[in-house]
Amino acid sequence: MTTPQVLLVDPIPADADAADTAILASLRFVPPTQPILSAFDAGAGRGDGVFETLGVSDGRARGIDAHLARLEASALKLDLPAPNLAQWRRGVDAMLDALPASGQASIRLVITRGTDAAGPPTCWLTGTPVASDFPERTEGIRVVTLSRGYANDVGEDAPWLLVGAKTLSYAINMAALREAQRRGADDVVFTSTDGFALEGPTSSLILRQGNTFITPAIQHGILAGTTQADLFGFLDAEGFECVYRTIPVGELLRSDAAWLVSSVRLAAPITAVDGSVIPTDLALTARMNAALLG
Ligand code: PLP
């Protein structure tokens, strides 16, 4: 495993038609131990910013377009300056060149509001080689259901809650994962106060019922998952029906299989919900993960 990489981005306005040489000049690798943030940065002090995490296998990043589109959508929700997507794409390419050509890795794109709301955002990428085998992909995960504390349609009434944006404020998500560990589980399915299953703290939920695959509709206060979308593409091509709708929590126990899916860990089959064992489809899980990695 090689060392992590850090690439600083001097942000170029989204509407600037910057030449490739100007974009290259705006990107600068720094040693991973070098401090890069002011103590007054809003990202560090308030979690005021957005990020993306891309999965990498054998030198290729998955779903670059989808991640850049979501970065742009998250920035818009937070009233941050729109990112220059050509610049970020160049940054991802440069990071891929700096990472090992084989094995798995993750690339993180970060934009914070910076030190002064009127000034430029603070922007960087990190690249981190990761252990190439995730036992969760084959052994599965036990989940607990935990309330997210608001109703399914909260995003419509309270857009300032930023549901559906990938903000840097993940302290709640990390606290939920620690609560899962306290309860002897590995991961979480967040639920709404009106009784629907939503998503994991860092993953999307997919259920199988017969030949139908179901994921919560994104208007219900969840992040639009890039891995879930890729998997629906794969499953659709395999002839399965793929549906977006509300999922009453009870369906977690009544489905033929369930997964939490995300860009780096990929598809992790759920083996138990709140201590009750549920069926798994490990052969299909293996094919799903092979499709994502392929
Ligand atoms: N939902 C949340 C809250 C997440 O943080 C993530 C990923 O980190 C996902 C869903 C899955 O998104 P993706 O498949 O794009 O990694």
Side-chain angles (χ1 to χ4, degrees), residues 22-45:
I23 292 182
L24 280 179
S26 71
L27 306 171
R28 183 165 57 95
F29 280 98
V30 295
T33 49
Q34 178 178 315
I36 62 160
L37 272 192
S38 157
F40 299 100
D41 194 281

Side-chain angles (χ1 to χ4, degrees), residues 67 70 166 170 199-204 223 225-227 261-263:
H67 283 284
R70 198 169 64 186
K166 198 163 165 67
Y170 261 45
E199 62 183 341
T202 62
S203 54
S204 311
L223 198 69
T226 64
T227 315
V261 307
S262 53
S263 292

